[in-house]
Amino acid sequence: MTGITIALSKGRIFEETLPLLAAAGVTPAESPSSSRKLIIATNRPEVRLLIVRASDTPTYVQYGAADLGIAGRDVLIEHGGAGLYQPLDLKIACCRMCVAAPAAFDYAQAVKRGARLKVATKYIAIAREHFAEKGVHVDLIKLYGSMELAPLVGLADAIVDLVSSGNTLAANDLVVVEELMPISSRLIVNQAALKTKRAQLAPMIDAIAGAVA
Ligand code: ATP
Ligand code: MG
């Protein structure tokens, strides 16, 4: 397929990517928040956008259904990164991956005692790696959203989740007990496309890099 296909999710990533696309001379023909279309044309006839679920972006790029994509570091770690080149930190959609627990739960003490922790999260790979490094035994419980609820109803002792303002945690009487890593979104590129379409992709990657810097 000729042309350039870019996969990204609607919401914060789409909104924060707009200025970067503009720097590459790309303006979407419509907004995914008002349109139900999943393929969005742009002012440049050879460039189109695919609107995908945030956690699916690496998969579209890995298999070459999209040449480029924009995905959070959280999503990329969980995906594993196979088939992807990750040339740029876009410094958008910034937040932190954290362990949070009820204010009344003595997390430090539980960890020190060597207690077996129940941890609910959408980020199983990140959580497994984190607790393995600390030598803490955990039962990981996979959830798909609203992780804050789990400790409130006894499903888990703690959660591993993204935190930006901390307002959602505070509203549910949870506090950050550990910070794992800063998270931002990255540009991802299909490794094969970078070779076969370099003449088209390189100027776009360079323009986006210029807008980030
Ligand atoms: P969905 O909302 O469809 O379940 P999602 O939560 O993964 O999927 P978004 O909320 O759009 O989708 O998040 C996309 C990316 O933005 C995440 O992968 C993460 O990198 C980043 N992100 C998530 N939450 C925040 C936040 N509160 N502040 C800043 N960036 C965030
Ligand atoms: Mg979300």
Side-chain angles (χ1 to χ4, degrees):
M1 170 115 198
T2 57
I4 300 178
T5 300
I6 307 172
L8 77 180
S9 50
K10 62 184 176 187
R12 58 170 63 86
I13 288 189
F14 183 87
E15 302 303 329
E16 296 188 40
T17 297
L18 281 177
L20 304 177
L21 289 176
V26 175
T27 309
E30 50 199 328
S31 161
S33 55
S34 52
S35 162
R36 287 171 179 256
K37 280 203 178 133
L38 299 176
I39 301 180
I40 295 192
T42 73
N43 62 316
R44 283 174 54 178
E46 81 285 14
V47 180
R48 61 179 190 161
L49 309 180
L50 306 186
I51 306 303
V52 303
R53 189 83 189 257
S55 45
D56 291 335
T57 304
T59 305
Y60 278 84
V61 178
Q62 172 185 7
Y63 291 104
D67 304 301
L68 301 178
I70 292 135
R73 183 184 180 196
D74 50 327
V75 161
L76 289 167
I77 294 174
E78 292 295 319
H79 171 271
L84 304 175
Y85 174 60
Q86 303 184 22
L88 281 181
D89 181 349
L90 301 175
K91 304 197 171 83
I92 61 168
C94 298
C95 51
R96 299 165 292 144
M97 186 67 72
C98 296
V99 182
F105 181 72
D106 194 341
Y107 176 76
Q109 183 58 32
V111 165
K112 203 159 56 177
R113 271 203 333 268
R116 195 166 181 96
L117 282 183
K118 279 192 293 175
V119 176
T121 187
K122 182 168 155 184
Y123 306 101
I124 294 287
I126 292 173
R128 182 181 292 120
E129 165 85 17
H130 174 70
F131 291 108
E133 255 174 34
K134 288 170 65 85
V136 174
H137 294 287
V138 285
D139 291 318
L140 294 175
I141 301 167
K142 168 81 182 187
L143 291 177
Y144 293 86
S146 301
M147 269 75 81
E148 298 83 2
L149 181 60
L152 307 184
V153 295
L155 180 62
D157 302 311
I159 61 175
V160 169
D161 199 7
L162 295 174
V163 179
S164 50
S165 68
N167 289 341
T168 309
L169 290 184
N172 293 291
D173 298 315
L174 301 176
V175 294
V176 170
V177 292
E178 220 173 0
E179 294 201 8
L180 276 60
M181 63 181 88
I183 299 286
S184 55
S185 288
R186 296 177 179 182
L187 183 68
I188 57 176
V189 187
N190 176 273
Q191 284 175 352
L194 189 62
K195 296 191 185 101
T196 57
K197 298 187 181 179
R198 180 175 279 280
Q200 278 182 294
L201 293 178
M204 178 159 300
I205 296 169
D206 289 348
I208 292 173
V212 172

